[in-house]
Amino acid sequence: MSYMDKSIEEIHEALKKGLVTSDELVKESLEKSHFVQDKCNAFVTILDDAKGTEVTDSLLSGIPYGVKDNYSTKGVLSTGSSNTLKDYVPFFSATAIDNLSKAGAVMVNKTVLDEFGMGGTGTTGHTGIVTNPWDHTRMCAGSSAGSAAAVAAGVYPYATGSDTGDSIRKPAAYCGIVGYKPTYGMISRYGLFPFASSLDHCGVLTRSVRDAAIVTDAMKGIDKNDMTSWDSKDVHLLDALDGKVSSKKLCYIKEICDIKNYPNASDELKAHLDNFMKTIDICKKLGMEVDEVSVDETLLKASPATYVVISCAEATSNMSNLTGFIFGPRASGDKWDEEMKNYRTKGFSPLIKRRFVIGSYVLQAQNKDRYFHNAQRVRRLLVDEWKKLFEKYDAVILPVGSGPAKKLEGSKDALDKNTAILEDHLQIGNFGGFPSITIPNGFIDGLPVGVNITGNCYEDEKILNIAYALEGAMDFKGQVCKEVR
Ligand code: GLN
């Protein structure tokens, strides 16, 4: 009997009835971890000596899960998938991980990401490329690549992720699972390696909306160590899922969804947008009103550049503490500055260093207003535009990416001008700190694709409920890919 491809509530019930023990679940999850490691290279560390925990009324008690390797985990290697921290073992755990431990959850592995979360392919971690369990010639997207691969392959029902531009929500789509980042600050970021602090969100990858609600209910909470965290004790995500959505109003954006905007559209892109429009019909059948709306195209197209400027600037500042003296392996050199230079030059991959060059450039005194401050102004305009939509609509619904997972070979971590806005609109959810969830939206040529629902800050209950109703009207809930079935 396999339990790790079931939902959290099903596993909890089996534990309660004594059909299985927590130790047996851990054993199953570890065996699957090794199997998926051979196939997908999804893990930095597999905790072979993990032990089951006592089963209580907490839904997560005794159940295994995975942790993205940019979360600090006490006494357990935490690398951020970077050579600069390849031997770093923190002496404390991230608050979100402590909260999961308090709920009785059992961490069984640490998952691979793009180095420090800076990437969208799952190919830039220091332990190598993560392959997509649905098709190993394709990427998982990133940066939460290992978490997405493992949840999709049935290693466990959930793993943690982090999302600065789309890093939970895009890998979820490419792997056919659910990816949710709650409103900014709902889950404490304390102990999450910072990438771009004003955009960073903790979140989860699961195989159902209910599971996403259960895990987030356990991870969230105000934290004195994260001054951007807020008190969400009145938010009960699981309890809010009643599937009643008939009075809800959604919109999708013409400039992003209309095939006419893509003159050289591939068959794949056409199928993807067609598929999305069918989902819009399902929303209407559920009784929701769905409108097509227009947003200034110039503003939309400014989003990727805005993201690059802000995220690189913040990353450059955040990562200046990686000197090789406090964390990470000591580099060689006769003097301290030589040591630091060697550590950073050899430790960071070229992709990351390119981002630091951009970040330093836009922060230079003579450039700051032209680039950094202007990017902040555009961020504000984009957030205001979305807020305007939320005055009239409960949520914005949009396709994720320009199709299914891309081929590993020949793909670059660079923007394709034609489809950039389709690929990058999720970052607007980070600009505004909006709650945003991706759910599976079927298959194109046998490969999963996703649909995203984003709402106004603090309206997580409503957003999850819309996603829950839509998930219930489609056939992809709880899907586990062929890998370990
Ligand atoms: N792909 C985006 C980037 O490269 C987003 C990454 C993220 O959300 N962590 O920065």
Side-chain angles (χ1 to χ4, degrees):
M1 183 69 171
S2 158
Y3 284 95
M4 287 300 100
D5 50 9
K6 296 189 182 306
S7 73
I8 292 170
E9 284 162 305
E10 286 167 345
I11 303 170
H12 179 68
E13 208 184 303
L15 282 168
K16 277 284 196 189
K17 284 187 179 153
L19 300 176
V20 67
T21 66
S22 176
D23 278 331
E24 285 164 353
L25 294 182
V26 171
K27 187 165 172 270
E28 180 191 332
S29 186
L30 287 171
E31 274 167 17
K32 287 187 172 169
S33 300
H34 285 286
F35 184 83
V36 170
Q37 181 69 342
D38 285 347
K39 303 269 186 178
C40 301
N41 191 37
F43 310 112
V44 181
T45 307
I46 299 176
L47 297 161
D48 284 310
D49 52 2
K51 297 270 176 300
T53 54
E54 189 197 347
V55 178
T56 66
D57 284 340
S58 158
L59 287 171
L60 299 180
S61 61
I63 300 181
Y65 79 107
V67 176
K68 188 173 175 178
D69 213 28
N70 59 349
Y71 281 75
S72 306
T73 44
K74 186 177 175 179
V76 174
L77 188 68
S78 304
T79 66
S81 284
S82 176
N83 269 319
T84 56
L85 291 182
K86 66 179 180 210
D87 59 2
Y88 172 57
V89 179
F91 59 87
F92 72 104
S93 284
T95 302
I97 302 303
D98 272 342
N99 289 348
L100 288 172
S101 300
K102 279 182 208 142
V106 190
M107 175 174 67
V108 290
N109 56 40
K110 298 288 303 279
T111 65
V112 175
L113 57 146
D114 281 300
E115 186 172 1
F116 288 123
M118 291 190 222
T121 59
T123 64
T124 66
H126 74 311
T127 53
I129 291 170
V130 183
T131 65
N132 191 312
W134 295 89
D135 174 352
H136 295 292
T137 66
R138 291 176 190 263
M139 61 176 65
C140 290
S143 63
S144 309
S147 289
V151 171
V155 172
Y156 31 52
Y158 72 99
T160 69
S162 64
D163 190 312
T164 304
D166 59 12
S167 270
I168 288 175
R169 295 161 292 155
K170 196 178 272 175
Y174 279 13
C175 291
I177 58 171
V178 171
Y180 167 48
K181 78 159 194 70
T183 297
Y184 184 74
M186 187 193 259
I187 302 176
S188 163
R189 287 179 294 110
Y190 181 66
L192 176 78
F193 298 173
F195 161 9
S197 308
S198 77
L199 304 168
D200 292 344
H201 295 64
C202 293
V204 290
L205 295 108
T206 64
R207 291 188 296 263
S208 71
V209 176
R210 283 187 81 80
D211 281 0
I214 292 169
V215 181
T216 308
D217 273 337
M219 284 171 87
K220 70 184 180 60
I222 192 161
D223 178 11
K224 65 175 179 357
N225 290 319
D226 176 0
M227 67 180 188
T228 64
S229 69
W230 49 278
D231 188 355
S232 58
K233 66 174 177 306
D234 293 333
V235 177
H236 303 287
L237 297 172
L238 182 64
D239 296 346
L241 301 180
D242 62 9
K244 289 188 192 136
V245 291
S246 56
S247 59
K248 298 290 175 264
K249 282 187 180 176
L250 307 181
C251 67
Y252 61 90
I253 294 163
K254 183 176 167 36
E255 288 68 22
I256 297 177
C257 303
D258 191 342
I259 191 72
K260 292 192 204 86
N261 296 323
Y262 309 98
N264 303 318
S266 63
D267 289 346
E268 195 177 85
L269 177 56
K270 283 181 198 151
H272 183 48
L273 293 179
D274 258 8
N275 187 50
F276 171 73
M277 290 316 295
K278 286 190 189 123
T279 302
I280 294 298
D281 288 339
I282 298 176
C283 293
K284 289 179 181 163
K285 281 198 191 109
L286 285 167
M288 290 189 270
E289 197 181 306
V290 192
D291 287 349
E292 182 181 80
V293 296
S294 252
V295 169
D296 179 2
E297 207 173 335
T298 313
L299 183 58
L300 277 178
K301 286 191 170 154
S303 178
T306 304
Y307 173 79
V308 167
V309 170
I310 294 175
S311 67
C312 289
E314 292 188 23
T316 304
S317 161
N318 273 328
M319 303 221 172
S320 59
N321 70 345
L322 288 169
T323 54
F325 300 122
I326 308 170
F327 317 101
R330 194 94 187 215
S332 59
D334 289 339
K335 288 192 282 188
W336 69 268
D337 51 347
E338 208 178 297
E339 265 187 54
M340 189 164 93
K341 193 165 140 194
N342 283 338
Y343 169 78
R344 287 176 70 88
T345 306
K346 292 188 188 128
F348 292 119
S349 69
L351 272 171
I352 304 302
K353 283 185 276 196
R354 197 176 66 190
R355 294 197 186 204
F356 295 158
V357 172
I358 297 171
S360 305
Y361 183 80
V362 300
L363 286 176
Q364 264 172 11
Q366 67 271 35
N367 299 331
K368 208 168 164 177
D369 198 48
R370 177 158 182 212
Y371 295 108
F372 188 59
H373 290 158
N374 265 341
Q376 287 179 314
R377 288 178 193 112
V378 178
R379 175 180 184 171
R380 168 51 56 201
L381 293 175
L382 278 161
V383 171
D384 284 349
E385 194 70 30
W386 253 240
K387 292 250 181 208
K388 246 193 282 162
L389 292 175
F390 297 139
E391 280 171 20
K392 202 164 160 208
Y393 298 100
D394 295 295
V396 178
I397 181 165
L398 289 170
V400 179
S402 57
K406 295 190 173 44
K407 283 269 185 203
L408 280 164
E409 214 167 287
S411 69
K412 296 179 276 347
D413 202 11
L415 292 176
D416 171 352
K417 270 201 193 105
N418 294 319
T419 53
I421 191 56
L422 253 177
E423 291 294 345
D424 289 326
H425 63 79
L426 291 179
Q427 60 204 197
I428 297 165
N430 301 73
F431 290 157
F434 304 135
S436 183
I437 183 166
T438 291
I439 63 171
N441 194 28
F443 294 85
I444 290 173
D445 294 334
L447 295 164
V449 287
V451 60
N452 179 268
I453 297 166
T454 295
N456 206 355
C457 290
Y458 311 112
E459 299 199 334
D460 295 69
E461 290 174 337
K462 184 166 80 179
I463 297 315
L464 285 199
N465 199 32
I466 293 171
Y468 177 61
L470 185 55
E471 175 192 60
M474 300 197 290
D475 233 2
F476 318 113
K477 182 171 123 190
Q479 65 189 7
V480 177
C481 88
K482 59 189 181 234
E483 203 58 74
V484 290
R485 258 197 300 208

PDB file of all heavy atoms in Angstrom, residues 68 117-120 142-143 162-168 195 307 311 355 413, ligand 1:
ATOM      1  N   LYS A  68      12.524  23.108   0.956  1.00  0.00           N
ATOM      2  CA  LYS A  68      13.406  23.744  -0.032  1.00  0.00           C
ATOM      3  C   LYS A  68      14.704  24.136   0.670  1.00  0.00           C
ATOM      4  O   LYS A  68      14.672  24.623   1.810  1.00  0.00           O
ATOM      5  CB  LYS A  68      12.684  24.966  -0.619  1.00  0.00           C
ATOM      6  CG  LYS A  68      13.388  25.633  -1.789  1.00  0.00           C
ATOM      7  CD  LYS A  68      12.507  26.717  -2.407  1.00  0.00           C
ATOM      8  CE  LYS A  68      13.212  27.494  -3.499  1.00  0.00           C
ATOM      9  NZ  LYS A  68      12.362  28.519  -4.144  1.00  0.00           N
ATOM     10  N   GLY A 117      17.524  30.775  -5.242  1.00  0.00           N
ATOM     11  CA  GLY A 117      16.194  31.133  -5.758  1.00  0.00           C
ATOM     12  C   GLY A 117      16.252  31.994  -6.999  1.00  0.00           C
ATOM     13  O   GLY A 117      15.213  32.411  -7.520  1.00  0.00           O
ATOM     14  N   MET A 118      17.469  32.280  -7.465  1.00  0.00           N
ATOM     15  CA  MET A 118      17.602  33.200  -8.603  1.00  0.00           C
ATOM     16  C   MET A 118      17.614  32.454  -9.917  1.00  0.00           C
ATOM     17  O   MET A 118      18.673  32.228 -10.509  1.00  0.00           O
ATOM     18  CB  MET A 118      18.897  33.993  -8.463  1.00  0.00           C
ATOM     19  CG  MET A 118      18.859  34.953  -7.326  1.00  0.00           C
ATOM     20  SD  MET A 118      20.307  36.009  -7.446  1.00  0.00           S
ATOM     21  CE  MET A 118      20.763  36.063  -5.765  1.00  0.00           C
ATOM     22  N   GLY A 119      16.439  32.087 -10.362  1.00  0.00           N
ATOM     23  CA  GLY A 119      16.357  31.407 -11.645  1.00  0.00           C
ATOM     24  C   GLY A 119      14.978  30.812 -11.819  1.00  0.00           C
ATOM     25  O   GLY A 119      14.201  30.729 -10.863  1.00  0.00           O
ATOM     26  N   GLY A 120      14.707  30.403 -13.035  1.00  0.00           N
ATOM     27  CA  GLY A 120      13.373  29.875 -13.311  1.00  0.00           C
ATOM     28  C   GLY A 120      13.424  28.549 -14.049  1.00  0.00           C
ATOM     29  O   GLY A 120      12.475  28.182 -14.738  1.00  0.00           O
ATOM     30  N   GLY A 142      11.648  26.798 -12.110  1.00  0.00           N
ATOM     31  CA  GLY A 142      12.254  27.034 -10.792  1.00  0.00           C
ATOM     32  C   GLY A 142      11.659  28.257 -10.159  1.00  0.00           C
ATOM     33  O   GLY A 142      10.749  28.852 -10.715  1.00  0.00           O
ATOM     34  N   SER A 143      12.149  28.595  -9.029  1.00  0.00           N
ATOM     35  CA  SER A 143      13.322  27.954  -8.456  1.00  0.00           C
ATOM     36  C   SER A 143      12.986  26.747  -7.582  1.00  0.00           C
ATOM     37  O   SER A 143      13.875  25.958  -7.278  1.00  0.00           O
ATOM     38  CB  SER A 143      14.120  28.977  -7.648  1.00  0.00           C
ATOM     39  OG  SER A 143      13.346  29.461  -6.571  1.00  0.00           O
ATOM     40  N   SER A 162       9.616  28.781  -1.947  1.00  0.00           N
ATOM     41  CA  SER A 162       9.665  30.231  -1.768  1.00  0.00           C
ATOM     42  C   SER A 162       9.429  30.842  -3.139  1.00  0.00           C
ATOM     43  O   SER A 162       9.694  30.210  -4.161  1.00  0.00           O
ATOM     44  CB  SER A 162      11.011  30.667  -1.197  1.00  0.00           C
ATOM     45  OG  SER A 162      12.040  30.357  -2.122  1.00  0.00           O
ATOM     46  N   ASP A 163       8.913  32.072  -3.131  1.00  0.00           N
ATOM     47  CA  ASP A 163       8.450  32.668  -4.378  1.00  0.00           C
ATOM     48  C   ASP A 163       8.761  34.160  -4.356  1.00  0.00           C
ATOM     49  O   ASP A 163       8.226  34.908  -3.542  1.00  0.00           O
ATOM     50  CB  ASP A 163       6.926  32.411  -4.493  1.00  0.00           C
ATOM     51  CG  ASP A 163       6.349  32.755  -5.854  1.00  0.00           C
ATOM     52  OD1 ASP A 163       6.655  33.844  -6.347  1.00  0.00           O
ATOM     53  OD2 ASP A 163       5.582  31.931  -6.387  1.00  0.00           O
ATOM     54  N   THR A 164       9.669  34.579  -5.252  1.00  0.00           N
ATOM     55  CA  THR A 164      10.066  35.978  -5.354  1.00  0.00           C
ATOM     56  C   THR A 164       9.506  36.601  -6.633  1.00  0.00           C
ATOM     57  O   THR A 164       9.258  37.801  -6.693  1.00  0.00           O
ATOM     58  CB  THR A 164      11.612  36.069  -5.326  1.00  0.00           C
ATOM     59  OG1 THR A 164      12.080  35.425  -4.137  1.00  0.00           O
ATOM     60  CG2 THR A 164      12.110  37.500  -5.344  1.00  0.00           C
ATOM     61  N   GLY A 165       9.306  35.737  -7.652  1.00  0.00           N
ATOM     62  CA  GLY A 165       8.755  36.223  -8.925  1.00  0.00           C
ATOM     63  C   GLY A 165       7.710  35.258  -9.478  1.00  0.00           C
ATOM     64  O   GLY A 165       6.815  35.664 -10.216  1.00  0.00           O
ATOM     65  N   ASP A 166       7.863  33.993  -9.143  1.00  0.00           N
ATOM     66  CA  ASP A 166       6.931  32.941  -9.594  1.00  0.00           C
ATOM     67  C   ASP A 166       7.413  31.556  -9.173  1.00  0.00           C
ATOM     68  O   ASP A 166       6.925  30.537  -9.629  1.00  0.00           O
ATOM     69  CB  ASP A 166       6.738  32.955 -11.123  1.00  0.00           C
ATOM     70  CG  ASP A 166       8.025  32.764 -11.926  1.00  0.00           C
ATOM     71  OD1 ASP A 166       9.050  32.403 -11.326  1.00  0.00           O
ATOM     72  OD2 ASP A 166       7.991  32.969 -13.153  1.00  0.00           O
ATOM     73  N   SER A 167       8.408  31.518  -8.305  1.00  0.00           N
ATOM     74  CA  SER A 167       9.175  30.297  -8.042  1.00  0.00           C
ATOM     75  C   SER A 167       8.424  29.142  -7.418  1.00  0.00           C
ATOM     76  O   SER A 167       8.938  28.031  -7.371  1.00  0.00           O
ATOM     77  CB  SER A 167      10.373  30.626  -7.151  1.00  0.00           C
ATOM     78  OG  SER A 167      11.458  30.955  -7.952  1.00  0.00           O
ATOM     79  N   ILE A 168       7.231  29.400  -6.908  1.00  0.00           N
ATOM     80  CA  ILE A 168       6.378  28.298  -6.466  1.00  0.00           C
ATOM     81  C   ILE A 168       5.376  28.007  -7.566  1.00  0.00           C
ATOM     82  O   ILE A 168       5.121  26.856  -7.927  1.00  0.00           O
ATOM     83  CB  ILE A 168       5.620  28.683  -5.166  1.00  0.00           C
ATOM     84  CG1 ILE A 168       6.586  28.716  -3.979  1.00  0.00           C
ATOM     85  CG2 ILE A 168       4.461  27.721  -4.915  1.00  0.00           C
ATOM     86  CD1 ILE A 168       5.970  29.194  -2.675  1.00  0.00           C
ATOM     87  N   PHE A 195      16.437  36.672  -0.794  1.00  0.00           N
ATOM     88  CA  PHE A 195      16.837  36.938  -2.192  1.00  0.00           C
ATOM     89  C   PHE A 195      16.503  38.411  -2.437  1.00  0.00           C
ATOM     90  O   PHE A 195      17.392  39.253  -2.504  1.00  0.00           O
ATOM     91  CB  PHE A 195      16.118  35.934  -3.095  1.00  0.00           C
ATOM     92  CG  PHE A 195      16.012  36.268  -4.565  1.00  0.00           C
ATOM     93  CD1 PHE A 195      16.686  37.321  -5.147  1.00  0.00           C
ATOM     94  CD2 PHE A 195      15.222  35.471  -5.395  1.00  0.00           C
ATOM     95  CE1 PHE A 195      16.589  37.595  -6.508  1.00  0.00           C
ATOM     96  CE2 PHE A 195      15.116  35.739  -6.760  1.00  0.00           C
ATOM     97  CZ  PHE A 195      15.779  36.805  -7.308  1.00  0.00           C
ATOM     98  N   TYR A 307      11.037  44.011 -12.572  1.00  0.00           N
ATOM     99  CA  TYR A 307      11.403  42.904 -11.681  1.00  0.00           C
ATOM    100  C   TYR A 307      12.924  42.722 -11.635  1.00  0.00           C
ATOM    101  O   TYR A 307      13.500  42.542 -10.559  1.00  0.00           O
ATOM    102  CB  TYR A 307      10.725  41.616 -12.163  1.00  0.00           C
ATOM    103  CG  TYR A 307      11.184  40.409 -11.392  1.00  0.00           C
ATOM    104  CD1 TYR A 307      10.670  40.130 -10.128  1.00  0.00           C
ATOM    105  CD2 TYR A 307      12.175  39.561 -11.902  1.00  0.00           C
ATOM    106  CE1 TYR A 307      11.114  39.034  -9.397  1.00  0.00           C
ATOM    107  CE2 TYR A 307      12.628  38.468 -11.182  1.00  0.00           C
ATOM    108  CZ  TYR A 307      12.095  38.211  -9.932  1.00  0.00           C
ATOM    109  OH  TYR A 307      12.550  37.132  -9.207  1.00  0.00           O
ATOM    110  N   SER A 311      14.704  43.184  -8.102  1.00  0.00           N
ATOM    111  CA  SER A 311      15.184  41.942  -7.491  1.00  0.00           C
ATOM    112  C   SER A 311      16.710  41.885  -7.475  1.00  0.00           C
ATOM    113  O   SER A 311      17.311  41.447  -6.499  1.00  0.00           O
ATOM    114  CB  SER A 311      14.585  40.717  -8.185  1.00  0.00           C
ATOM    115  OG  SER A 311      15.061  40.593  -9.496  1.00  0.00           O
ATOM    116  N   ARG A 355      23.684  38.904 -12.050  1.00  0.00           N
ATOM    117  CA  ARG A 355      22.639  39.657 -11.327  1.00  0.00           C
ATOM    118  C   ARG A 355      23.255  40.676 -10.371  1.00  0.00           C
ATOM    119  O   ARG A 355      22.714  41.753 -10.159  1.00  0.00           O
ATOM    120  CB  ARG A 355      21.724  38.701 -10.586  1.00  0.00           C
ATOM    121  CG  ARG A 355      20.907  37.832 -11.557  1.00  0.00           C
ATOM    122  CD  ARG A 355      19.739  37.197 -10.856  1.00  0.00           C
ATOM    123  NE  ARG A 355      19.046  36.275 -11.736  1.00  0.00           N
ATOM    124  CZ  ARG A 355      17.769  35.930 -11.595  1.00  0.00           C
ATOM    125  NH1 ARG A 355      17.048  36.449 -10.619  1.00  0.00           N
ATOM    126  NH2 ARG A 355      17.213  35.068 -12.415  1.00  0.00           N
ATOM    127  N   ASP A 413      18.094  30.842 -19.693  1.00  0.00           N
ATOM    128  CA  ASP A 413      17.359  31.581 -18.681  1.00  0.00           C
ATOM    129  C   ASP A 413      17.228  33.031 -19.157  1.00  0.00           C
ATOM    130  O   ASP A 413      17.644  33.966 -18.506  1.00  0.00           O
ATOM    131  CB  ASP A 413      18.095  31.511 -17.339  1.00  0.00           C
ATOM    132  CG  ASP A 413      17.150  31.784 -16.182  1.00  0.00           C
ATOM    133  OD1 ASP A 413      15.931  31.811 -16.412  1.00  0.00           O
ATOM    134  OD2 ASP A 413      17.639  31.951 -15.067  1.00  0.00           O
TER     135      ASP A 413
HETATM  136  N1  GLN B   1      12.416  33.164 -12.146  1.00  0.00           N
HETATM  137  C1  GLN B   1      12.464  34.357 -11.379  1.00  0.00           C
HETATM  138  C2  GLN B   1      13.914  34.770 -11.200  1.00  0.00           C
HETATM  139  O1  GLN B   1      14.712  34.268 -11.871  1.00  0.00           O
HETATM  140  C3  GLN B   1      11.761  34.168 -10.062  1.00  0.00           C
HETATM  141  C4  GLN B   1      12.540  33.440  -9.046  1.00  0.00           C
HETATM  142  C5  GLN B   1      11.826  33.313  -7.718  1.00  0.00           C
HETATM  143  O2  GLN B   1      10.615  33.523  -7.605  1.00  0.00           O
HETATM  144  N2  GLN B   1      12.589  32.997  -6.680  1.00  0.00           N
HETATM  145  O3  GLN B   1      14.264  35.567 -10.435  1.00  0.00           O
END
